[in-house]
């Protein structure tokens, strides 16, 4: 299933831009990409057709309020995941008075009938992943899913005139209690609400948004920043026989060392100091395995003397450099 919607216009006008709109631009492998830019206001559109449906990503950086007009050419059901919303946004279906607020870190299912829509965005950043699908293709003969998605399916099969939105849920939290609450509402005949049950999350959310989260993380500006700091560590120990401090790296990147530590922990689970020690240790092990003298290895890895190096190595590896070298040599001879 290809994309069933198109971006008609943006006001104030954003002219087409030939390349990435920023160094942090996200690219979905195999996708069609378009960029718009005017001053500091930018927009990137990524469309990736898949067997199950169409995955898309919109990345807006808005410096003044704008409106984007979208035309839906064929009705479909979609899942939105608001990865990052730092301003206020609103989606309006022009054929009805129903508005849908864009909320940070929220997911929502929508039935999107053929119509014209307006997206109003105030100043801020908007990173939205979506997955639109034909329920016959995505759900197939799964009767349980058909029951769960009944309000959306009813609107879809009977060409309902309104945009039907689910109660927003936080994808990172346990939603079971909310699911049960919504199911009870449906049993009471309040089927105007769309729904989001665990089974939907397992089957639909997993094949769409969850697979894109690593891509988002890899291209997030803070991930790009901390990866450049990691590369400085690797290059330093590959080319120089001296230590480098986190403070030195932070200074060259115009930030504080505590910021580097927090950022590295956020993306990699360990602080930046520990990562530096890992790279330093790997260099030491490699030199020891080449049968270099321990005193020489200590100098090459930036230690002030052999004693401090041995203390570091024993703490990290639970053996002395001499013992490590001996064990490696014996293994190599076998």
């Amino acid at each position: 299933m290809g994309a069933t919607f198109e971006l008609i216009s943006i006001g104030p006008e954003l002219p087409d831009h030939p390349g990435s709109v920023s160094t942090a631009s996200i690219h979905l492998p195999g996708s069609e990409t378009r960029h718009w830019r005017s001053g500091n206001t930018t927009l990137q559109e990524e469309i990736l057709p898949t067997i199950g449906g169409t995955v898309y990503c919109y990345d807006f950086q808005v410096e003044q309020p704008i409106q984007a007009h979208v035309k839906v050419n064929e009705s479909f059901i979609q899942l939105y995941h608001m990865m990052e919303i730092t301003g206020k946004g609103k989606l309006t279906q022009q054929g009805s008075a129903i508005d849908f607020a864009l909320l940070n870190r929220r997911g929502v299912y929508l039935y999107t009938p053929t119509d014209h829509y307006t997206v109003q965005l105030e100043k801020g950043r908007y990173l939205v992943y979506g997955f639109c699908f034909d329920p016959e293709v995505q759900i197939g003969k799964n009767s349980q899913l058909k029951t769960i998605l009944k309000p959306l399916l009813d609107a879809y099969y009977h060409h309902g005139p309104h945009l039907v939105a689910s109660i927003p849920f936080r994808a990172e939290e346990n939603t079971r209690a909310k699911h049960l609450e919504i199911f009870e509402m449906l049993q009471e005949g309040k089927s105007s609400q769309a729904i989001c049950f665990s089974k939907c999350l397992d089957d639909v959310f997993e094949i769409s948004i969850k697979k894109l989260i690593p891509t988002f993380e890899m291209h997030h500006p803070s991930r790009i920043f901390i990866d450049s700091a990691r590369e400085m560590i690797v290059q330093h120990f590959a080319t120089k026989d001296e230590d480098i401090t986190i403070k030195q790296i932070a200074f060259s990147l115009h930030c504080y060392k505590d910021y580097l530590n927090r950022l590295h922990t956020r993306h990699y689970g360990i602080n930046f100091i520990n990562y530096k020690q890992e790279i330093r240790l790997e260099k030491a092990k490699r030199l020891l395995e080449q049968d270099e003298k321990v005193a020489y290895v200590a100098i090459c890895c930036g230690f002030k003397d052999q004693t401090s190096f041995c203390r570091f190595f024993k703490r990290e590896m639970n053996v002395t450099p001499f013992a490590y070298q001996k064990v490696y040599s014996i293994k190599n001879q076998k």
Side-chain angles (χ1 to χ4, degrees):
M1 173 181 161
T4 56
F5 57 92
E6 59 181 300
L7 190 62
I8 299 174
S9 65
I10 308 171
E13 182 182 2
L14 293 182
D16 283 319
H17 192 266
S20 298
V21 292
S22 76
T23 56
S25 289
I26 292 168
H27 179 65
L28 308 179
S31 65
E32 301 171 15
T33 306
R34 293 197 295 170
H35 304 96
W36 293 267
R37 184 173 193 168
S38 179
N40 293 325
T41 296
T42 60
L43 162 64
Q44 175 179 296
E45 178 187 65
E46 293 275 344
I47 302 292
L48 177 63
T50 70
I51 294 175
T54 300
V55 175
Y56 57 92
C57 170
Y58 282 114
D59 193 352
F60 289 84
Q61 179 64 48
V62 178
E63 294 301 323
Q64 61 176 321
I66 64 171
Q67 286 190 346
H69 301 284
V70 178
K71 179 184 177 184
V72 172
N73 302 309
E74 182 181 341
S75 299
F76 58 94
I77 291 174
Q78 61 185 316
L79 164 64
Y80 278 122
H81 189 58
M82 314 298 171
M83 294 297 294
E84 186 174 343
I85 307 289
T86 60
K88 291 183 179 179
K90 183 173 67 173
L91 172 68
T92 303
Q93 181 181 347
Q94 294 183 10
S96 72
I98 299 176
D99 291 337
F100 169 62
L102 306 182
L103 302 173
N104 190 45
R105 307 300 297 182
R106 292 294 182 97
V108 65
Y109 287 103
L110 299 174
Y111 161 64
T112 312
T114 303
D115 206 338
H116 287 75
Y117 299 85
T118 299
V119 182
Q120 296 172 290
L121 303 175
E122 296 182 11
K123 183 176 179 178
R125 183 165 186 265
Y126 304 82
L127 178 61
V128 180
Y129 284 124
F131 179 66
C132 63
F133 59 93
D134 181 325
E136 289 297 332
V137 174
Q138 187 59 45
I139 298 172
K141 297 180 179 179
N142 190 324
S143 59
Q144 183 180 359
L145 272 180
K146 285 187 176 181
T147 300
I148 289 170
L149 288 171
K150 189 174 185 303
L152 291 175
L153 294 172
D154 285 347
Y156 180 83
Y157 293 137
H158 297 99
H159 305 289
H162 300 296
L163 178 149
V164 181
S166 72
I167 296 175
F169 64 91
R170 288 190 177 275
E172 66 271 21
E173 294 178 358
N174 185 341
T175 59
R176 179 174 173 79
K178 178 59 72 177
H179 296 162
L180 294 176
E181 177 188 334
I182 299 170
F183 187 63
E184 289 171 2
M185 290 171 62
L186 293 170
Q187 287 182 318
E188 294 169 5
K190 301 176 182 178
S191 58
S192 62
Q193 299 286 359
I195 48 180
C196 46
F197 278 84
S198 295
K199 184 61 178 172
C200 298
L201 294 181
D202 291 343
D203 288 4
V204 181
F205 194 79
E206 181 181 356
I207 71 168
S208 55
I209 306 306
K210 281 187 177 179
K211 289 186 177 180
L212 295 180
I213 289 176
T215 302
F216 163 74
E217 288 292 341
M218 283 178 62
H219 293 81
H220 193 282
S222 64
R223 171 69 176 263
I224 295 173
F225 181 78
I226 199 62
D227 281 352
S228 68
R230 284 165 64 94
E231 182 61 24
M232 287 180 66
I233 292 282
V234 172
Q235 288 300 318
H236 177 86
F237 283 109
T239 58
K240 293 183 173 61
D241 296 339
E242 59 189 44
D243 192 16
I244 184 171
T245 67
I246 306 304
K247 188 175 181 179
Q248 288 172 315
I249 295 173
F251 180 80
S252 62
L253 293 173
H254 309 289
C255 67
Y256 293 104
K257 64 177 184 179
D258 289 344
Y259 176 72
L260 282 181
N261 271 324
R262 285 198 306 272
L263 214 55
H264 197 277
T265 302
R266 170 185 163 187
H267 285 285
Y268 289 99
I270 61 171
N271 67 36
F272 196 53
I273 295 172
N274 287 341
Y275 175 72
K276 189 202 85 165
Q277 297 295 60
E278 284 183 4
I279 300 302
R280 200 181 193 190
L281 180 64
E282 287 304 311
K283 180 178 182 179
K285 287 162 62 178
R286 188 167 61 253
L287 291 172
L288 289 171
E289 289 164 7
Q290 294 170 4
D291 206 27
E292 299 287 359
K293 299 287 187 181
V294 172
Y296 173 75
V297 174
I299 293 171
C300 289
C301 292
F303 289 89
K304 60 182 181 181
D305 54 47
Q306 179 176 312
T307 302
S308 58
F309 167 64
C310 289
R311 190 162 51 243
F312 161 79
F313 196 90
K314 176 72 182 295
R315 184 181 69 243
E316 298 296 325
M317 296 296 296
N318 217 25
V319 294
T320 66
F322 302 98
Y324 178 86
Q325 203 168 44
K326 184 175 181 180
V327 170
Y328 182 82
S329 178
I330 291 172
K331 283 182 179 179
N332 247 13
Q333 291 172 7
K334 290 183 179 179

